[in-house]
Amino acid sequence: MSVFTAVAPETLSRWLGRYAIGRLVELQGISAGVQNSNFFVTTTLGRYVLTLFEAIPRAELPYFLHLMAHLARHGLPVPAPIADRDNEYLGTLSERPAALVMRLSGKSEMAPTSTHCERVGAMLAGLHLAGLSYGRRQDNPRGAAWRTTAAARVRPFLPADEQALLDAELAFQAAVDYASLPQGVIHADLFRDNVLWDGDYIGGVIDFYFAGHDALLFDVAVTVNDWCTTAGGELDPQRTAALLAAYHAERRFTDTERANWPAMLRAAALRFWLSRAEDFHLPKPGEMVLVKPPAEYRDILRLRIAATPPLPI
């Protein structure tokens, strides 16, 4: 959620005439994140988030917007998109595809406890179950095919030991049959900064623009690798058990998922090592851009290779 494209208040004021949400009061850029231009928008009738899409093809955007609307209808705390006077979620602003969504209350918790992890696990299972009835389908944009092409882009920038790690992991992942796992809609980026807490409860789940159709277990692995990892990169047993037990109580893990859990933890670590390496070595120009160092997930991948715990259920 960075700002690559600036928006002037007067330009936004004119654009908001397409909506029934009042007049512009305040416009503020958001610096966190790496993919789109995002702004907090306050009007006389409410608070919203404006997104200008910088890289996602316009034809793919209805999938994400209608997914958020679908999940919101099912009672999940996600940012419902705002339709304009023509009943369209997607518009154009500053020559970019643009959308408004409701701004949710709460703040991120960067030092989660087992209780936080338990509630995230239950929420993620609910998201997966609600997603089963979503009618649109779009592959995970950062799935296996993307990981192969991203590896080719970043490999020349890596030292020899990291190239060897990358080559070995790609070969390992290519031999795993993930198609046999339960599939469905995944968030794919459920990090701590994408969950807002309103007191002790989840007030919002944000940033669905990496969502897609993939193995549900991949989503669980992405979430565990962030929410349940210690400062040294190892998995905290209590937080891991809390998250997975709460998820399992809502959607039971299959025997095939149990068998593939260690490999999936590695796949999730590889995905974020690659994306962060690409952002670091091949950065996009922008006004306010956050680039996260890739070493964290390189080291997490090494740890998951060295120790592959089973699903603790």
Side-chain angles (χ1 to χ4, degrees):
M1 293 188 290
S2 298
V3 174
F4 299 95
T5 300
V7 175
E10 54 273 19
T11 301
L12 180 59
S13 292
R14 290 192 296 271
W15 189 74
L16 289 177
R18 299 173 53 83
Y19 295 82
I21 60 172
R23 298 183 304 278
L24 179 64
V25 174
E26 184 179 14
L27 172 66
Q28 177 186 355
I30 305 173
S31 61
V34 295
Q35 189 183 28
N36 301 310
S37 296
N38 287 266
F39 307 83
F40 289 134
V41 174
T42 302
T43 75
T44 51
L45 295 182
R47 301 191 308 163
Y48 308 90
V49 174
L50 167 69
T51 298
L52 274 61
F53 300 96
E54 302 288 349
I56 305 172
R58 189 182 187 95
E60 296 179 7
L61 292 170
Y63 173 88
F64 306 115
L65 297 171
H66 285 273
L67 173 61
M68 289 188 285
H70 173 87
L71 296 175
R73 286 197 302 272
H74 282 73
L76 287 153
V78 306
I82 306 300
D84 65 15
R85 296 180 188 274
D86 295 324
N87 208 32
E88 297 290 339
Y89 292 141
L90 187 62
T92 301
L93 178 62
S94 297
E95 301 181 348
R96 301 286 191 276
L100 280 168
V101 300
M102 293 296 298
R103 181 177 174 182
L104 303 176
S105 61
K107 61 181 181 179
S108 299
E109 175 55 69
M110 304 309 290
T113 65
S114 293
T115 299
H116 291 112
C117 292
E118 179 181 1
R119 289 177 176 161
V120 166
M123 183 280 303
L124 181 60
L127 188 156
H128 287 168
L129 292 171
L132 294 176
S133 60
Y134 184 51
R136 298 172 184 244
R137 173 164 173 159
Q138 194 161 282
D139 289 340
N140 176 7
R142 296 292 174 95
W146 175 87
R147 293 194 288 271
T148 299
T149 58
R153 288 191 294 269
V154 304
R155 192 180 187 279
F157 299 95
L158 304 180
D161 63 323
E162 293 186 9
Q163 289 184 355
L165 172 65
L166 179 58
D167 294 344
E169 189 59 25
L170 289 172
F172 171 82
Q173 293 293 334
V176 180
D177 178 19
Y178 290 131
S180 63
L181 299 174
Q183 308 280 312
V185 172
I186 66 170
H187 182 283
D189 193 26
L190 196 64
F191 275 46
R192 288 163 289 169
D193 55 359
N194 283 332
V195 176
L196 307 178
W197 294 88
D198 187 1
D200 294 330
Y201 297 93
I202 296 175
V205 179
I206 62 175
D207 199 358
F208 278 82
Y209 300 114
F210 288 111
H213 190 93
D214 206 337
L216 301 178
L217 193 66
F218 181 78
D219 219 8
V220 181
V222 167
T223 307
V224 165
N225 270 344
D226 182 67
W227 285 83
C228 305
T229 294
T230 68
E234 299 87 357
L235 289 176
D236 176 84
Q238 288 74 35
R239 281 184 282 152
T240 303
L243 192 154
L244 293 174
Y247 183 96
H248 182 70
E250 304 296 328
R251 189 193 75 84
R252 298 183 67 83
F253 292 114
T254 66
D255 290 342
T256 306
E257 286 177 314
R258 294 179 191 280
N260 284 280
W261 176 240
M264 195 62 89
L265 284 171
R266 292 168 59 170
L270 174 64
R271 176 262 189 262
F272 285 95
W273 178 31
L274 287 172
S275 62
R276 291 186 179 187
E278 189 169 48
D279 291 335
F280 183 81
H281 294 293
L282 299 165
K284 308 177 188 73
E287 180 182 296
M288 301 164 57
V289 179
L290 174 65
V291 177
K292 299 178 180 179
E296 177 186 9
Y297 268 84
R298 175 204 63 199
D299 294 343
I300 288 176
L301 175 59
R302 284 172 170 160
L303 287 166
R304 301 297 179 265
I305 292 170
T308 54
L311 278 175
I313 301 296

